[in-house]
Amino acid sequence: ETLVVSSWGGSFRDLIDETIAAKFTEETGVEVEFITGGTIDRLNQANLSKDNPESDVTFTTSHIGWLYRNQGLFEELDMSRIPNAENLVDQARISPSHIGAWAYVYTIGFLPNMLPEGVTFDSWEDLWSPELAGMIALPDFDPSHIIAAAATLEGVGVENWRDATDKLLALRPNIRALYTNDANSQQLLSTGETPVQVILSMNAYHIQSQGLDVELAIPAEGAVLGVDTMGITAGSDKIDLAYQFLNAALDPEVQAQIAEIKKGSPVVSNVELPEELAALPGIFTTPEEWAEQTLVIPDEFRAETIGEWRQWFSENMTAN
Amino acid sequence: MRKSLLDHLLDWTGRILLTAILGFVLLPFFVVAIASFNDGAILSFPPREWSLRWYANAFQYRDFGAGLVNSLKIAAFGATIALIAGAGFAYVLNRYDFRLKGVLNGILMSPLIIPNFTIGLGLLILSAAASLPRNLWLVVATHVIIVLPFVVRSVYVSLQNFERRYEQAAESLGGSPWHVLRTVTLPLLVPGLASGGLFAAILSFNEFTASLFVVNQSTQTLPVAMYNYVREYADPTLAAVSVLYVLAVAVILLVVHKFFRLEKVLNVE
Amino acid sequence: MSSESRNDAAVQIDGVSKSFAGTVALEPIWLKIRRGEFLTLLGPSGCGKTTLLNLIAGFLEADEGELFIDRELVTQVPPHQREIGIVFQNYALFPHMTVAQNVAYGLRTRRVSKAETAQRVAEALALVKLQDFADRRPKQLSGGQQQRVALARALVIRPRVLLLDEPFSALDRNLRTAMQVELREIQTRLGLTTVFVTHDQNEALSMSDRIAVMSRGRVRQIGAPADIYDRPRNLFVSTFVGDANLFDATLQGAEGSALDLSVGGARLSLTSYQDDLPQPGPVTLFVRPEQCRLTDTNEPGAVPATVALSVYQGSYAELHLDCAAAQGGRVMLRVPAAEALPAGAAVGIALPQTGPAIYAADEANKEVA
Amino acid sequence: MSSESRNDAAVQIDGVSKSFAGTVALEPIWLKIRRGEFLTLLGPSGCGKTTLLNLIAGFLEADEGELFIDRELVTQVPPHQREIGIVFQNYALFPHMTVAQNVAYGLRTRRVSKAETAQRVAEALALVKLQDFADRRPKQLSGGQQQRVALARALVIRPRVLLLDEPFSALDRNLRTAMQVELREIQTRLGLTTVFVTHDQNEALSMSDRIAVMSRGRVRQIGAPADIYDRPRNLFVSTFVGDANLFDATLQGAEGSALDLSVGGARLSLTSYQDDLPQPGPVTLFVRPEQCRLTDTNEPGAVPATVALSVYQGSYAELHLDCAAAQGGRVMLRVPAAEALPAGAAVGIALPQTGPAIYAADEANKEVA
Amino acid sequence: MTKRPFLGWFASPSILIAFGIAASFLAIVQYSFRANIPGALDPGGFTLENFTTLWKAVYGEAFLNTVLLCLWTALFTLLIGYPLAYAMVRARSARLRSAILLISLTPLFLGEIVRTYSWMIVLGNRGFLNAALMQMGLIDRPIPFMFTMTGVVIALVHFTLPIVVVMLAAALSHIDRNLERAATSLGAGRVRAFLTVTLPLSIPGIVAASSTAFAWTFSAFATPQMIGGGQVQTISTLVYQVGFASFNFPLAASLSLTGLLFTVAVLAIFNTGIRRLERIGGH
Ligand SMILES: Nc1ncnc2c1ncn2[C@@H]1O[C@H](COP(=O)(O)OP(=O)(O)OP(=O)(O)O)[C@@H](O)[C@H]1O
Ligand SMILES: Nc1ncnc2c1ncn2[C@@H]1O[C@H](COP(=O)(O)OP(=O)(O)OP(=O)(O)O)[C@@H](O)[C@H]1O
Ligand SMILES: [Mg+2]
Ligand SMILES: [Mg+2]
């Protein structure tokens, strides 16, 4: 018997495998198998195989999780069957169907030795510096971070992002590439193709560990908070095991491992982290940190609007 | 022969040009070979340290193994089905006239000009609309459609060059149509069938674009697994896989060349 | 496959015709091939010889008409049930089988027992003198040997009719002559009804019991070789078979087969073998080179000419003469090599008293091969 | 390209040889081709004719030896500077050009003026009687017409030597004869040095000033056609050119060219044309069919034989005789068709008093074509 | 007489497959006229909106990009492939001939991924090419090849080269060598003989090869996707993106359909070209 988990590939799969799945297997003796793919790819795949689900537990981002839920792809969660969820922070209680597994930020990452003289990243505004012409890479699968940043800079709030489109268009000359996944982002940095990126904090730390000198900046406006979540696939025939898996994920030790290995922020409040780890940008251990360092886009709104954003983005920002 | 300066010039530019072009063809494979032995996860030229770890990783990475098995299964089934259907159709095409022959031919050959992504998309939509399961057979069907024209062409050419007199001689000797087919036509078509089938198998093994649309995690082919790997990891494991791939293909081609003479198979003599 | 009466037709073709996509390959043809006869279909390329052969073999279906083999109506019988033997120009030996397997093929399809097969194969190979080559593959044989295997393969099934489509045209001259002699010997020995296709008139003349000369889908004349050569019935046959000298002549009058002609000013009296003589008036006079004789210019009745070219041919020389009375302005004679004349010499051509034929100058079938 | 002295060699081949990947295609060859001469290279397939032609044309590089054209050493000169004309068997007309453009090609490369080009093309086309076809494409012409265009194209550049590689072998018999005559007439008129390749002995005998008979990369004999036919110097030439009857004989003795032989029991005295006679002992006696005469069995000196087969050939018949003294057991004679004998008739063969040749039975080059 | 033995037996499998092809093609046609319901795979009612959407700049640019890519690729592939094919057909030694054939053919059997990945390593800013050029001191900062049209064209040329070489070699090998010999004997040097005889006679082959190069490039996906990195959008990458990222299958279908019609039109033009050429001269 095996439990099938749908997750991102690459280092995220390895992370889940080494931490949550290891704990789960230790507790239940059941092996874990993965099916992997990009966030949207997997949503689509799940949709395509609705009648005959390929997985039991699904990892996805908080906002795409709403799409799963809205399309009936997630089971409603019975929180009583997840004892460890007691300590779950509020920001990680996303919907009745999906809850956080770890958190991170999307922020500005850069190669200091390839940065033009005098450029610093105190504010998101610095991305617009003309010195950065043709140096920036953004994620193509999710434009919400830069849209939120632009809206904040324009002082209009992300709901009124249409008022910030001029600001966004002004960034075009600086964009060199849109990366399609984390590996792509790593390549772009490691080859020096794009020395500045809007990047996932966890990914930046991974690249550091590979020996590349990447630095992260937390702009004054805050970094865009993201929570990776998990849910139980609707129609799964291993519901019990799935609950046990979710519970294992929220185990404080497992959460500490996640922070240790991948620098993902714990989403439960009862975790003890070494000091230097706790101090890293993108790892939140106190309610104050959760509140002050983050720029939050409301999940449900984000989920509803992401399609529109993507379309607008691909039609206006990519073609050059 | 006493050559003019121009002739010498021509000879030498010709030689240099030829070397340069062959170099261009081979360059990526040399580079990927160097990269595959690079110890670091981040590429650099020339590599600072050498190691075989990426080869080890390639063998350990489960998706490659599963993808290889899938690809082999799909290529075997796909090529066999395409060979049976394609050879039959080539025979019919070569021998008979019937209504709608042109239409049938047009449809079966259309994958030669329909882009593979369109074929993949079409079959994906079709399978969803018809509620067909997205299993290995869907991938096999996709590949059959894509490689069929190549099989038909290859067998058709053999049939065109086939000396009908052999069959007539056999018939005059009392062989019934089935008997003649079995004892004369098929044995003499073996080279055409073999090269058609082999070509189909190789094409199917390599097919990527249409497969990308119709596979799921459990039916993922090797090329799709490789593509996904590049999307998810930045390390040079794929370089190691590529080197193995190139070596395997080169060996197969050399063997084929030895037995069938590629010039003949490709009609470039 | 009884052979009681030796005189009924082994093959009878009754008004068989064939068109391909609108173009007529074969006009309706009536033909009887006698039992044991060696019949040759002779004609230029594209005249329909192969088409007729394929109709007999059953590889093609006739548009109309009927076909009998041994009195049996076979028009609708598929080739593999017709019991005929075929030998093709390019041999068509099965390359994936040995010589013995090739020869045994027709016996295997007939489920002849192993022992009998072995014996009959050995016999057939002995017949064509290839006992020692049984285990070779066709590729390891010379052209002539391959042709012999093809023959053995066709003969071993004791066919009712043997069909051969230009079987020797790919062989070189010496081998060809040898094979012709051999084939004819075997055919005579076995008393085999044979239809032989060729476009080589020498081959046809030398091998056949009868020749059917074809052109444009029709049989233009059928008869024994000497008949065809000595008494061609139309201009086409006379020019296609053997060398012909044609003169423009005027028929002054005829009494029975005695003709009164004027040729290039000379006055001639000839007797012809023809039954149907043209009307008096301009005619074409046909004479074989060996019927002409070289004489002095001033001999009475001689047609004047000048030597244009003397072509050495080893055992003899061809004299090409410029002659105003000849069609195309040229006449050809053969003389012993030693008697060749230099170009420019003025000579007379004495025409024979008997033998030649005349055709109406506007003959509908004025079709020179 | 002076042509002062009419006697020096137009082409001189001095010890030229050629191998391909180890197999010898041409042994070292010495050959002088006279100015204005029509020289034919005759030999069986694969004997090196095309190779020799390609060496003269410069398409192949000789392994050793030297080649002169008009006394100029051209061994190292590339083909396009050799000023030779070539006609290929498959015509090799440029399919994308009209007839006129094809013929003009060699003039355009020589930067001949427009006006002169037009004039010379017209002349060349007139020469081959194709004035009216100037604007057609090669595909729209018949085989013979294509061959003529190829000839015009080669001639228009006024080549120093004209090379032809089996130019007529793809044509049918009648067209072939016509083209042979035509080519020879044009060649004679223009006084063109010509090297002609064929494997057809009749073509060679009828067209050539001299024939070089080749086999296995060597020239076996070179001489005028009558020389080759009447006085072959070895067994290969005697059997390859013309028909040969070979008898097993014993040379009893020789006095000058007078020979004392015994053949199949009969005792003969002959004179031979040969200079180098073999030693007394077993020899092969070579006689042309037309040198033999049919006589009674009991005529003294006649070799006994039986008629095996009489082959009708229209103007004559071939008698194939079984004869114990003959090699292969067979002798062939030609007789007028009317004088053919039935199979089984016993006859005597009278051999000629002069003319025949004898070769040592174990002759090193016992190589019958 | 059994007139058509095996007709039914031999034709039926392929008829089945033809139905499959026709059905999937119909599926595409049908989807391209249906409305997209976000998040659902089943499409809505009839609409022409998908085709009006295609008028937007991105799609136009993708079309333009694709065409440019096809043109450049065909051009460079011909320029490189012709000498290679010529050398292969004319090489004196059988060894050299085989070597050229094998080298130019091997990539054909390697598939898109291996080759594209290899080119990524060659072309990157820290890739082989830039590293080599910098090492030699020819440049001091990397030339961007990745995510540029240039890079995609280079990789695509490599991608289409084998098939073009095979087609050109087939065409060249069927040109009678005696034609060139005839030209030389008539006084044409090698260059002239080539330009006036060989080249014109190979034009049908060239046209056929370019049309194939066109079709291959048009249908290439992994190469523009991986080397273009989203900066060089082609029809194929857009179809994938629209289908699998935006999950708008009706739009993807209409994009595919338009692309297909476009290909068919272009190939039809090529075909008439070939036929005309063959009528004029050719073989
Ligand atoms: N399958 C076919 N389709 C169309 N036309 C054909 C076909 N077979 C033969 N013909 C035509 O029928 C005519 C007679 O052809 P056939 O092969 O019988 O000639 P043939 O006398 O055997 O000539 P050859 O000596 O060249 O073999 C020719 O004009 C030929 O073009
Ligand atoms: N390019 C080549 N490579 C290898 N061997 C060759 C080549 N050309 C000719 N030969 C060999 O050289 C020998 C002479 O060939 P050549 O073509 O000169 O013969 P040929 O007398 O012209 O014969 P044919 O009458 O068949 O044309 C043959 O054995 C042939 O196989
Ligand atoms: Mg025929
Ligand atoms: Mg030759």
Short mmCIF file of all heavy atoms in Angstrom, two decimals, chain D residues 161-175:
data_model
loop_
_atom_site.label_atom_id
_atom_site.label_comp_id
_atom_site.label_asym_id
_atom_site.label_seq_id
_atom_site.Cartn_x
_atom_site.Cartn_y
_atom_site.Cartn_z
N VAL D 161 39.68 15.54 -79.83
CA VAL D 161 39.35 14.12 -79.90
C VAL D 161 37.89 13.97 -79.50
O VAL D 161 37.41 14.67 -78.61
CB VAL D 161 40.18 13.29 -78.90
CG1 VAL D 161 39.97 11.80 -79.16
CG2 VAL D 161 41.63 13.66 -78.95
N LEU D 162 37.21 13.06 -80.18
CA LEU D 162 35.83 12.76 -79.80
C LEU D 162 35.80 11.39 -79.13
O LEU D 162 36.32 10.41 -79.67
CB LEU D 162 34.94 12.76 -81.04
CG LEU D 162 33.46 12.43 -80.81
CD1 LEU D 162 32.80 13.49 -79.94
CD2 LEU D 162 32.73 12.30 -82.14
N LEU D 163 35.24 11.35 -77.93
CA LEU D 163 35.15 10.08 -77.21
C LEU D 163 33.69 9.66 -77.13
O LEU D 163 32.83 10.47 -76.78
CB LEU D 163 35.72 10.22 -75.80
CG LEU D 163 37.11 10.83 -75.66
CD1 LEU D 163 37.50 10.94 -74.19
CD2 LEU D 163 38.13 9.97 -76.40
N LEU D 164 33.41 8.41 -77.42
CA LEU D 164 32.02 7.92 -77.33
C LEU D 164 31.99 6.63 -76.55
O LEU D 164 32.68 5.67 -76.89
CB LEU D 164 31.43 7.70 -78.73
CG LEU D 164 31.46 8.89 -79.67
CD1 LEU D 164 32.57 8.72 -80.70
CD2 LEU D 164 30.13 9.06 -80.39
N ASP D 165 31.18 6.60 -75.48
CA ASP D 165 31.11 5.40 -74.63
C ASP D 165 29.79 4.67 -74.88
O ASP D 165 28.75 5.06 -74.38
CB ASP D 165 31.23 5.80 -73.16
CG ASP D 165 31.48 4.58 -72.28
OD1 ASP D 165 31.50 3.45 -72.82
OD2 ASP D 165 31.65 4.75 -71.06
N GLU D 166 29.85 3.63 -75.66
CA GLU D 166 28.67 2.84 -76.03
C GLU D 166 27.49 3.75 -76.35
O GLU D 166 26.41 3.61 -75.76
CB GLU D 166 28.28 1.89 -74.89
CG GLU D 166 29.49 1.21 -74.28
CD GLU D 166 29.20 -0.20 -73.83
OE1 GLU D 166 28.10 -0.70 -74.08
OE2 GLU D 166 30.09 -0.81 -73.23
N PRO D 167 27.67 4.63 -77.30
CA PRO D 167 26.64 5.65 -77.50
C PRO D 167 25.32 5.09 -78.01
O PRO D 167 24.29 5.71 -77.81
CB PRO D 167 27.26 6.58 -78.54
CG PRO D 167 28.25 5.74 -79.27
CD PRO D 167 28.77 4.76 -78.26
N PHE D 168 25.34 3.93 -78.65
CA PHE D 168 24.11 3.48 -79.29
C PHE D 168 23.48 2.28 -78.60
O PHE D 168 22.48 1.76 -79.06
CB PHE D 168 24.39 3.09 -80.75
CG PHE D 168 25.04 4.20 -81.52
CD1 PHE D 168 26.09 3.94 -82.39
CD2 PHE D 168 24.61 5.51 -81.36
CE1 PHE D 168 26.69 4.97 -83.09
CE2 PHE D 168 25.21 6.54 -82.07
CZ PHE D 168 26.26 6.27 -82.94
N SER D 169 24.05 1.87 -77.47
CA SER D 169 23.59 0.59 -76.93
C SER D 169 22.17 0.67 -76.40
O SER D 169 21.54 -0.35 -76.19
CB SER D 169 24.54 0.08 -75.86
OG SER D 169 24.61 1.00 -74.81
N ALA D 170 21.65 1.88 -76.17
CA ALA D 170 20.28 1.96 -75.68
C ALA D 170 19.27 2.10 -76.82
O ALA D 170 18.08 2.18 -76.58
CB ALA D 170 20.13 3.13 -74.71
N LEU D 171 19.74 2.13 -78.04
CA LEU D 171 18.83 2.33 -79.17
C LEU D 171 18.41 0.98 -79.76
O LEU D 171 19.13 -0.01 -79.64
CB LEU D 171 19.53 3.15 -80.26
CG LEU D 171 20.10 4.48 -79.81
CD1 LEU D 171 20.76 5.20 -80.97
CD2 LEU D 171 19.02 5.35 -79.19
N ASP D 172 17.27 0.96 -80.45
CA ASP D 172 16.88 -0.32 -81.03
C ASP D 172 17.60 -0.52 -82.37
O ASP D 172 18.22 0.36 -82.92
CB ASP D 172 15.37 -0.50 -81.10
CG ASP D 172 14.74 0.45 -82.08
OD1 ASP D 172 15.38 0.77 -83.10
OD2 ASP D 172 13.60 0.87 -81.83
N ARG D 173 17.50 -1.75 -82.87
CA ARG D 173 18.38 -2.18 -83.94
C ARG D 173 18.38 -1.25 -85.16
O ARG D 173 19.43 -0.84 -85.66
CB ARG D 173 17.99 -3.60 -84.39
CG ARG D 173 19.02 -4.31 -85.21
CD ARG D 173 18.49 -5.68 -85.60
NE ARG D 173 17.30 -5.53 -86.43
CZ ARG D 173 17.30 -5.73 -87.76
NH1 ARG D 173 18.41 -6.09 -88.37
NH2 ARG D 173 16.21 -5.58 -88.45
N ASN D 174 17.17 -0.89 -85.63
CA ASN D 174 17.13 -0.09 -86.85
C ASN D 174 17.75 1.28 -86.64
O ASN D 174 18.56 1.75 -87.43
CB ASN D 174 15.68 0.06 -87.32
CG ASN D 174 15.15 -1.24 -87.88
OD1 ASN D 174 15.89 -1.97 -88.53
ND2 ASN D 174 13.90 -1.54 -87.60
N LEU D 175 17.34 1.92 -85.55
CA LEU D 175 17.85 3.24 -85.24
C LEU D 175 19.36 3.18 -85.06
O LEU D 175 20.11 4.05 -85.50
CB LEU D 175 17.19 3.72 -83.94
CG LEU D 175 17.41 5.18 -83.61
CD1 LEU D 175 17.01 6.04 -84.79
CD2 LEU D 175 16.58 5.54 -82.38
#
